[in-house]
């Protein structure tokens, strides 16, 4: 390569760099008046603030209300994304489970006869574990207690062991129903709220921010024109008129976008999905516990305690309930039916074991 070509290439690179720096400097210099104007308004030093159309103000109020509802609900219902939200915090099984898993792996490795077999042992998944929920914890402690009572020989101990086993099974199935509820809330409520927040509501936020920037630019250019010297008045007037046109276009665009966002926002179906999932779970839990209590042993001469001693709750229990099918719940009118069969609950339990997020 000749020296002249090297010099030409260097000059070309330098010109490109100069152009880039000049462009960035111009952008920065243009942003200074807007930033200065913004600070003046925040400090209360600017009073000539352009008024927004009433239609624009009304639409922003509606969009803000939608965003507020979505965010506040999601702050609460995101608890359903955490499997162990009702698990007793004082039960610490992680270290013991890890120790048992490591001990089991070491014992298996001691019998490995080849490197391939050892690799298979190390890569094999650990033993399956019950999801960490309150009902599964109750199921486990009832099962262990039942096994302890079985070693005793008295009739009363055997009867207690039998009912502890039944209670363990009931709690296990209630836990499956709760995991099924959580899965429905995650997919039919939380995911759709996040989709709306990250999609349409962010889109509305972007156009509103663009309107605010264009307004600040327009108001700053008006102020500069009012204080301009005669020789610069023509140039600043052109800048002001351009800023005014861009401000008007941005406002019209934002109005259209916000109208579309409001028209597409429909929280009622989402709320129904949330309520239906909760209703399905609580109905399943109530019916299984009621079946357990109806067969509970006791003195035949003594009246069994009601499900609730509170008069309002007792009246609700005495009210006629919709018929319940063992395969599909009789959902109230307007609420989609959700399968509550034992097969569905067993499938939900298997899914929960495979995917800890369910």
């Amino acid at each position: 390569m000749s020296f002249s070509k090297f010099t030409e290439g260097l000059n070309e690179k330098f010109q490109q760099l100069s152009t880039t720096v000049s462009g960035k400097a111009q952008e920065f210099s243009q942003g200074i008046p807007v930033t200065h104007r913004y600070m003046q308004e925040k400090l209360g030093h600017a009073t000539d603030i352009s008024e927004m159309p009433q239609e624009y103000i009304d639409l922003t109020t509606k969009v803000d209300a939608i965003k507020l509802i979505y965010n506040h609900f999601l702050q609460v219902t995101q608890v359903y994304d955490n499997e162990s939200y009702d698990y007793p915090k004082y039960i610490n099984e992680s270290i013991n489970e890890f120790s048992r898993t490591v001990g089991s792996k070491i014992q298996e490795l001691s019998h490995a006869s080849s490197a391939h077999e050892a690799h298979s042992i190390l890569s094999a998944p650990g033993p399956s574990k019950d999801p960490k929920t309150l009902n599964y914890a109750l199921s486990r402690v009832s099962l262990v207690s039942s096994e302890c009572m079985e070693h005793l020989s008295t009739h009363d101990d055997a009867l207690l062991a039998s009912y502890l086993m039944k209670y363990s099974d009931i709690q296990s199935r209630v836990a499956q129903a709760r995991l099924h509820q959580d899965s429905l809330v995650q997919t039919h409520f939380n995911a759709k709220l996040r989709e709306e927040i990250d999609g349409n509501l962010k889109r509305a936020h972007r156009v509103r921010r663009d309107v605010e920037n264009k307004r600040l630019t327009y108001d700053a250019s008006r102020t500069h024109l009012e204080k301009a010297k005669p020789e610069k008045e023509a140039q600043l007037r052109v800048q002001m008129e351009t800023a005014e046109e861009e401000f008007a276009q941005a406002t019209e665009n934002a109005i259209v976008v916000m109208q579309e966002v409001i028209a597409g926002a429909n929280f009622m179906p989402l709320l129904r999905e949330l309520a239906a999932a909760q209703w399905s779970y609580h109905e399943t839990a109530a019916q299984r516990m009621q079946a357990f209590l109806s067969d509970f042993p006791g003195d035949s001469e003594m009246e069994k305690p009601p499900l609730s001693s509170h008069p309002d709750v007792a009246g609700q229990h005495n009210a006629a309930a919709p018929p319940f099918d063992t395969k599909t719940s009789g959902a109230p009118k307007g609420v989609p039916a959700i399968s509550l069969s034992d097969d569905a609950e067993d499938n939900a339990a298997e899914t929960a074991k495979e995917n800890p997020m369910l």
Side-chain angles (χ1 to χ4, degrees):
M1 178 184 294
S2 63
F3 180 76
S4 59
K5 290 184 177 181
F6 173 77
T7 305
E8 290 176 0
L10 185 62
N11 290 334
E12 183 178 355
K13 294 292 184 181
F14 181 75
Q15 289 176 358
Q16 292 177 355
L17 179 61
S18 299
T19 303
T20 302
V21 172
S22 299
K24 294 296 182 182
Q26 185 177 4
E27 292 178 4
F28 180 74
S29 62
Q30 290 175 350
I32 291 177
V34 175
T35 304
H36 180 65
R37 174 72 186 192
Y38 176 79
M39 294 302 299
Q40 282 185 323
E41 292 183 4
K42 288 298 181 182
L43 295 174
H45 297 162
T47 57
D48 55 337
I49 301 175
S50 297
E51 293 185 2
M52 303 302 299
Q54 188 60 42
E55 181 182 12
Y56 179 90
I57 296 174
D58 294 340
L59 290 172
T60 57
T61 302
K62 291 181 181 179
V63 170
D64 288 341
I66 294 171
K67 184 178 180 181
L68 183 70
I69 293 172
Y70 286 10
N71 281 328
H72 283 191
F73 257 94
L74 195 56
Q75 286 176 1
V76 177
T77 58
Q78 66 184 355
V79 72
Y80 289 103
D81 298 332
N82 177 20
E83 176 189 275
S84 59
Y85 62 79
D86 64 351
Y87 193 71
K89 294 182 179 180
Y90 58 84
I91 299 180
N92 188 3
E93 299 173 338
S94 300
I95 297 178
N96 293 334
E97 290 174 355
F98 177 76
S99 300
R100 286 196 297 268
T101 301
V102 172
S104 176
K105 294 286 186 183
I106 293 175
Q107 186 176 5
E108 292 177 6
L109 285 173
S110 65
H111 300 291
S113 58
S114 65
H116 177 72
E117 186 177 353
H119 176 73
S120 300
I121 293 173
L122 291 174
S123 59
S128 60
K129 298 178 293 184
D130 287 335
K132 290 188 175 182
T133 67
L134 174 61
N135 297 109
Y136 269 121
L138 288 171
S139 176
R140 287 196 301 271
V141 73
S142 299
L143 179 61
V144 172
S145 300
S146 175
E147 293 173 350
C148 291
M149 297 303 296
E150 285 179 352
H151 294 291
L152 303 178
S153 57
T154 65
H155 171 73
D156 292 340
D157 294 331
L159 183 63
L160 176 58
S162 172
Y163 274 85
L164 283 170
M165 182 66 71
K166 291 181 180 180
Y167 185 74
S168 174
D169 180 67
I170 291 292
Q171 289 298 322
S172 176
R173 294 190 177 277
V174 171
Q176 294 169 23
R178 204 223 78 181
L179 292 174
H180 184 55
Q181 168 205 240
D182 296 354
S183 177
L184 291 175
V185 174
Q186 291 171 27
T187 56
H188 295 166
F189 188 80
N190 288 357
K192 292 182 179 179
L193 282 186
R194 291 190 179 100
E195 183 179 348
E196 285 293 317
I197 293 172
D198 295 335
N200 289 332
L201 290 175
K202 274 193 175 180
R203 180 180 167 216
H205 175 72
R206 284 195 298 268
V207 296
R208 288 172 61 181
R209 185 172 58 184
D210 184 54
V211 169
E212 180 67 7
N213 289 334
K214 293 294 192 297
R215 184 196 64 77
L216 289 169
T217 301
Y218 170 61
D219 287 347
S221 63
R222 284 195 302 113
T223 302
H224 291 164
L225 179 60
E226 292 173 359
K227 300 178 180 179
K229 296 179 180 180
E231 61 271 17
K232 291 187 177 182
E233 184 175 342
Q235 178 185 359
L236 293 178
R237 183 175 298 278
V238 172
Q239 293 179 0
M240 186 271 292
E241 292 175 352
T242 301
E244 182 181 16
E245 183 178 355
E246 292 178 352
F247 172 40
Q249 290 177 352
T251 303
E252 292 176 1
N253 178 54
I255 288 175
V256 173
V257 170
M258 287 190 291
Q259 287 174 340
E260 293 175 353
V261 171
I262 293 171
N266 191 359
F267 190 69
M268 286 292 288
L270 299 180
L271 183 61
R272 187 176 68 174
E273 292 283 356
L274 174 63
Q278 293 173 322
W279 175 81
S280 170
Y281 160 59
H282 289 293
E283 184 190 43
T284 301
Q287 294 211 2
R288 293 198 178 279
M289 295 305 299
Q290 187 174 17
F292 175 73
L293 290 174
S294 64
D295 191 36
F296 209 80
D299 190 346
S300 58
E301 297 180 358
M302 296 180 61
E303 183 181 357
K304 292 183 179 180
L307 293 180
S308 175
S309 58
H310 194 284
D312 294 338
V313 179
Q316 294 174 8
H317 283 297
N318 294 331
F324 177 74
D325 187 0
T326 56
K327 295 299 181 183
T328 304
S329 65
K333 184 177 180 181
V335 178
I338 298 176
S339 175
L340 298 177
S341 65
D342 291 347
D343 294 338
E345 293 173 356
D346 293 338
N347 292 337
E350 293 297 328
T351 304
K353 291 179 180 179
E354 295 174 0
N355 187 355
M357 289 301 295
L358 296 181

